[in-house]
Amino acid sequence: MGNVIVRVVLEHPVPVLFDYRCDASTSPLPGQLVRVPFGKRYLVGLIWEVTQHSDVPLERLREVDALWAECPPLTAQWRALATFAANYYQRALGEVVLPALPQGVREASRWGRLLAASQIYRILPAGIEALPAALPPQATARRRLAAALHEAGKLTAAAARALHPQAIKLLDAWQQAGWVTQEAETAAQQVEATTATASTVNRLLEAAPELTVEQADVLEAIHGAHGFAPFLLHGVTGSGKTEVYLRALATLLAREPAAQALVLVPEINLTPQFEAFFRARLAAWPTDALVTLHSGLAEGERSRAWLAAHTGRARIVLGTRLAVLASLPRLALIIVDEEHDAAYKQQEKLRYSARDLAIWRAKQLNIPIILGSATPSLETWRHAQLKHYTRLTLTQRAVAEAVLPVTQLIDMSAPKRRSEAGLEGLSTPLLDALRERLACGEQSLIFLNRRGYAPALSCTACGWVAGCVRCSAFLVLHKQERGMRCHHCGWHSRIPHACAECGNVDLAPLGRGTQKLEEALAAALPEARILRIDADSTRRKGSAQALFASVSAGEIDILVGTQMIAKGHDFQRVTLVGVLNADAALFSHDFRASERLFAQLLQASGRAGRAGHGEVLIQTRYPQHPLYQALARHDYVGFAETTLAEREQARLPPFSYQALLRAEARTLEAALTFLARSAAELDALPGTERVTRYEPVPMLIVKVMHVQRAHLLLESTSRSALQSALRAWQPHLQALKIKDVLRWSIEVDPLEF
Ligand code: ADP
Ligand code: ZN
Ligand code: ZN
């Protein structure tokens, strides 16, 4: 047989396919992974098309170096998803397809080893005889592996690895010794391995609590769904949304035993809690029926999890935003927990919204999707208003004794409160409430969305503030590290001992961060066991998990932290939540700031009283502000309706669609010139009447890492008008060459400005 031509997607910003010759006898298929020569290197890419023709003469085409025939091709549906994402977010296909694959899959040298994950090991008579004697008595883990193998006669690689971390190495050695054989599992066997039987599905429900009336109603609606059915599950904090997800999964697997479900959570830190919950209830299932997929996994784990999803072996894939691009050939249900969370938005490279792609996927596959939240995004709420999504509501907490916490606003503008400022902004009522909790052994949580010791260090004589040399931002004082840190670029420096302007040595920290609050609390309540959780205290991998566990175990009296502590965690013993310094977001230039603040504070207060009574104290200088008033009433709906009315009047999203053109340059002038020229190009394009173009402006933090940044906003009430304008605009942008401009990019549906 001769050659065919394969057109391959490679990670490359230029939106073209690369043609290669391929030996026809290898029967290349679209969706298969190949390694190809590219310049002086070799790259892994995905076959997009197989054809007979190329615009490049055949003799000049290079040849495919390796084809991963054992790995099933990525399906046409997955490729359609990638195509959609590339088009919608204005990127080259290769910038979607390749980053969606784990690194291990993108290294051809690892392909063989990855497939070992789907090997089956069988014990041979020689092994039955020799193995027990060959292992020393103290090698308990190895003996356990041998015993399991002996008992079942065979083991899958995944099952073996669960018994011993080095199982594959051991089994290979045992094979060398002639004690075991190995064979590759067929595709059908892989799916079979984790296919649910009626009895395992029933076991799912065995340990289950009796559903509340509201939960039962919600599930009835979900179970009655057919085809593409988007649900907004609007449930107050603690209403038992997780139980609803689990039951929806169980029902799906009872109906379609080989189906797959995708469960998205906004943060890596929330995956262990979910995983433990699902695993406890899925106890009768093979471990690899559930895999997690997030950026915190070691490379090998992540590749194995990705493959388990791709081969159909994983029934439930639990992951963060990147999991929305996983290959799931049997996907039949999608769940997006805390759908409002900004973490679903990728803020670099391909700036996608995992929630929005999840909805697109559900529509493409004609399957149900559940979007859960106590504070839905206004985009989602609007869809529910318009009946695009079915709204399901849980108004009560699931645990019978638990009621929603009582919220009090502490007026910090009152003269009496101002005089208490010496206590680092902790008002007397809040301190008293903390003491009360301490006295009766209950936990408190204090939310302050600012890490570090103090957000700035300033000269008391001339007002100079220590700034980052690389960014137009203040340096944050980190007292424990004895240093100053830039939260934009990571720049680290020593604490200056004198003012750079006037030489005055009397420098004072301005404002407060979590470290300072922790210090003040320790001084005020010396008997309390205080823990701080923020990005600084959890920098080490896995440390967040240990810290959260110590809270759950009751080893902590007061937990201080940033938004990391506000989300999703089911802390059973917290009865008091305090909120400090939240006011700034009320007056932000970003129209979504109040939506985010409301969600954050409602989530934070949702940590209180999950097992019984609870109280929330919010310190504010604006207690009459409608946002706080709505919060005190637990009135998400009121807040959403008012805010949506304001958005409608201002024609802001979700009543319009936006895109940003960002420019980064060595000088601000160059960035603005690039944007001005881009604006002129857009204005000259025909058919862009329905798109409003705003003037280029410098970004709020204009300089980061010596790079000057500016952007230009486009807006339209028609999504398709905006999309076609962007598409027509792109080639003109590519042609613009302006000195000192480093990069530019388009962001569709930006969330933050
Ligand atoms: P949400 O995600 O809605 O904030 P969770 O799913 O964390 O709420 O549930 C809150 C608590 O209620 C959990 O401790 C959970 O075990 C419990 N729970 C959920 N459903 C029920 C039920 N039907 N009966 C009793 N407890 C329940
Ligand atoms: Zn000074
Ligand atoms: Zn900096």
Side-chain angles (χ1 to χ4, degrees):
M1 274 213 268
N3 280 314
V4 287
I5 289 154
V6 292
R7 317 201 67 204
V8 177
V9 185
L10 298 173
E11 185 165 14
H12 202 281
V14 178
V16 293
L17 297 172
F18 296 87
D19 293 2
Y20 289 88
R21 264 184 299 131
C22 186
D23 183 350
S25 68
T26 59
S27 325
L29 294 168
Q32 278 182 319
L33 286 158
V34 283
R35 180 170 62 185
V36 293
F38 189 79
K40 290 187 173 131
R41 298 172 295 159
Y42 282 90
L43 292 177
V44 164
L46 195 75
I47 300 181
W48 208 252
E49 288 167 29
V50 180
T51 155
Q52 302 295 335
H53 305 283
S54 172
D55 296 339
V56 184
L58 200 62
E59 61 279 8
R60 283 188 43 211
L61 284 182
R62 300 174 79 180
E63 191 145 2
V64 167
D65 175 65
L67 181 131
W68 195 7
E70 297 77 18
C71 181
L74 281 116
T75 61
Q77 276 159 332
W78 188 87
R79 285 177 276 135
L81 170 71
T83 306
F84 168 78
N87 285 337
Y88 186 77
Y89 294 109
Q90 307 288 322
R91 289 282 169 158
L93 196 53
E95 294 176 293
V96 180
V97 169
L98 281 310
L101 306 175
Q103 201 52 42
V105 171
R106 296 179 60 184
E107 282 172 30
S109 59
R110 298 213 209 169
W111 287 347
R113 195 130 40 89
L114 279 175
L115 284 177
S118 53
Q119 294 292 94
I120 296 180
Y121 296 85
R122 281 180 203 284
I123 194 159
L124 294 171
I128 296 177
E129 207 163 296
L131 253 175
L135 299 175
Q138 67 274 21
T140 41
R142 269 182 285 165
R143 294 191 81 89
R144 200 162 49 228
L145 180 65
L149 192 58
H150 191 163
E151 197 173 312
K154 61 174 187 177
L155 275 184
T156 63
R161 199 178 282 110
L163 292 167
H164 194 295
Q166 302 294 328
I168 305 304
K169 255 198 204 133
L170 284 168
L171 287 163
D172 285 345
W174 294 351
Q175 186 184 16
Q176 293 286 314
W179 298 339
V180 299
T181 58
Q182 57 169 298
E183 64 205 59
E185 246 178 315
T186 63
Q189 276 173 329
Q190 290 205 40
V191 174
E192 182 73 19
T194 53
T195 294
T197 61
S199 75
T200 56
V201 171
N202 286 336
R203 287 249 219 131
L204 266 174
L205 304 173
E206 247 168 39
E210 197 176 325
L211 293 177
T212 65
V213 175
E214 287 186 329
Q215 282 173 325
D217 286 348
V218 158
L219 278 162
E220 199 181 301
I222 295 172
H223 296 159
H226 296 284
F228 173 56
F231 292 103
L232 164 58
L233 176 58
H234 178 217
V236 299
T237 53
S239 57
K241 293 188 282 294
T242 324
E243 186 65 38
V244 171
Y245 303 152
L246 184 92
R247 302 283 188 123
L249 292 170
T251 307
L252 168 77
L253 295 169
R255 279 188 199 161
E256 300 175 48
Q260 293 180 300
L262 173 65
V263 182
L264 296 178
V265 293
E267 276 212 31
I268 291 184
N269 292 327
L270 289 172
T271 50
Q273 177 184 316
F274 262 85
E275 188 179 353
F277 179 75
F278 285 152
R279 286 217 188 276
R281 301 277 289 278
L282 294 170
W285 247 351
T287 36
D288 50 347
L290 185 154
V291 296
T292 56
L293 209 48
H294 55 75
S295 59
L297 294 178
E299 203 37 67
E301 277 176 284
R302 182 155 155 202
S303 296
R304 278 197 294 274
W306 184 89
L307 266 178
H310 175 57
T311 55
R313 183 186 198 93
R315 294 272 87 80
I316 299 175
V317 173
L318 168 65
T320 52
R321 63 169 180 261
L322 60 87
V324 79
L325 290 170
S327 163
L328 292 153
R330 295 160 181 271
L331 185 59
L333 172 68
I334 305 178
I335 293 167
V336 184
D337 190 34
E338 312 289 3
E339 67 83 29
H340 65 279
D341 202 301
Y344 283 122
K345 182 79 197 291
Q346 163 104 347
Q347 292 292 23
E348 52 174 35
K349 294 185 178 158
L350 178 75
R351 293 170 174 253
Y352 63 93
S353 154
R355 182 207 48 217
D356 293 350
L357 285 182
I359 294 164
W360 191 88
R361 244 183 137 163
K363 191 164 184 186
Q364 175 203 34
L365 298 174
N366 212 21
I367 60 172
I369 176 167
I370 306 172
L371 308 171
S373 178
T375 51
S377 66
L378 293 178
E379 279 76 7
T380 298
W381 191 256
R382 179 75 185 142
H383 281 302
Q385 277 184 338
L386 294 172
K387 306 261 186 294
H388 300 162
Y389 301 171
T390 307
R391 183 157 85 208
L392 306 170
T393 319
L394 299 172
T395 61
Q396 308 283 322
R397 286 198 157 172
V399 177
E401 313 79 63
V403 287
L404 286 172
V406 178
T407 304
Q408 278 191 55
L409 300 165
I410 304 176
D411 185 356
M412 298 303 283
S413 68
K416 180 156 145 270
R417 299 281 167 255
R418 280 210 296 275
S419 67
E420 294 164 356
L423 285 169
E424 271 321 320
L426 288 163
S427 65
T428 314
L430 181 53
L431 273 173
D432 287 346
L434 285 168
R435 286 199 187 94
E436 239 172 71
R437 295 312 187 292
L438 266 179
C440 56
E442 293 172 356
Q443 291 178 314
S444 305
L445 187 155
I446 312 242
F447 174 66
L448 171 62
N449 209 4
R450 185 157 239 171
R451 65 193 170 86
Y453 186 82
L457 188 67
S458 152
C459 170
T460 53
C462 75
W464 169 83
V465 181
C468 177
V469 293
R470 303 193 284 191
C471 310
S472 52
F474 295 149
L475 287 174
V476 178
L477 176 60
H478 284 247
K479 204 174 168 191
Q480 283 155 347
E481 310 166 28
R482 287 171 214 238
M484 309 285 292
R485 197 176 267 288
C486 172
H487 286 189
H488 297 278
C489 73
W491 169 266
H492 192 80
S493 72
R494 272 192 278 171
I495 301 174
H497 39 260
C499 170
E501 291 286 326
C502 73
N504 170 28
V505 293
D506 193 12
L507 301 180
L510 288 182
R512 76 185 65 82
T514 46
Q515 292 179 4
K516 194 172 184 187
L517 180 61
E518 182 188 17
E519 187 183 279
L521 282 167
L525 307 165
E527 71 281 22
R529 296 166 299 172
I530 300 168
L531 176 72
R532 175 170 56 85
I533 298 190
D534 56 26
D536 298 312
S537 73
T538 55
R539 195 147 285 152
R540 225 165 19 83
K541 195 183 160 201
S543 61
Q545 230 23 67
L547 296 184
F548 283 120
S550 69
V551 180
S552 300
E555 292 156 20
I556 301 302
D557 300 313
I558 302 175
L559 175 62
V560 177
T562 54
Q563 41 85 23
M564 275 182 82
I565 63 175
K567 290 182 188 176
H569 295 279
D570 192 20
F571 298 132
Q572 291 286 323
R573 305 169 209 227
V574 171
T575 61
L576 172 70
V577 170
V579 175
L580 266 61
N581 288 43
D583 288 342
L586 296 177
F587 309 104
S588 168
H589 66 290
D590 183 340
F591 70 90
R592 281 198 180 85
S594 62
E595 179 185 350
R596 274 196 296 272
L597 177 66
F598 187 85
Q600 250 173 14
L601 295 187
L602 202 78
Q603 294 288 340
S605 27
R607 300 315 111 207
R610 290 175 81 86
H613 62 106
E615 191 183 14
V616 180
L617 297 182
I618 300 175
Q619 297 191 170
T620 168
R621 297 172 67 87
Y622 309 92
Q624 297 311 319
H625 195 286
L627 186 148
Y628 288 129
Q629 291 294 323
L631 200 65
R633 295 193 306 268
H634 300 279
D635 185 12
Y636 167 81
V637 178
F639 173 79
E641 308 275 321
T642 325
T643 315
L644 274 174
E646 288 165 10
R647 297 260 187 102
E648 182 162 26
Q649 209 161 26
R651 274 215 263 132
L652 285 167
F655 299 91
S656 63
Y657 303 91
Q658 298 182 325
L660 273 181
L661 174 62
R662 300 167 184 277
E664 301 186 6
R666 286 200 186 84
T667 65
L668 181 58
E669 199 196 341
L672 290 170
T673 306
F674 173 84
L675 293 176
R677 295 273 299 277
S678 307
E681 295 284 353
L682 182 80
D683 296 348
L685 284 176
T688 56
E689 302 77 24
R690 298 187 60 191
V691 176
T692 309
R693 175 185 65 73
Y694 292 86
E695 290 306 314
V697 284
M699 284 179 63
L700 195 64
I701 309 275
V702 61
K703 183 177 78 168
V704 167
M705 290 283 262
H706 297 301
V707 172
Q708 305 284 340
R709 313 177 311 159
H711 62 213
L712 179 161
L713 178 67
L714 303 187
E715 200 174 82
S716 176
T717 50
S718 154
R719 182 171 253 162
S720 57
L722 182 61
Q723 280 282 321
S724 41
L726 292 173
R727 208 159 300 129
W729 199 25
Q730 280 251 22
H732 298 273
L733 297 176
Q734 259 139 17
L736 274 182
K737 294 279 173 279
I738 289 169
K739 193 172 164 281
D740 289 336
V741 171
L742 301 164
R743 323 169 251 287
W744 57 269
S745 62
I746 289 176
E747 176 171 12
V748 179
D749 302 333
L751 266 193
E752 280 167 56
F753 293 88

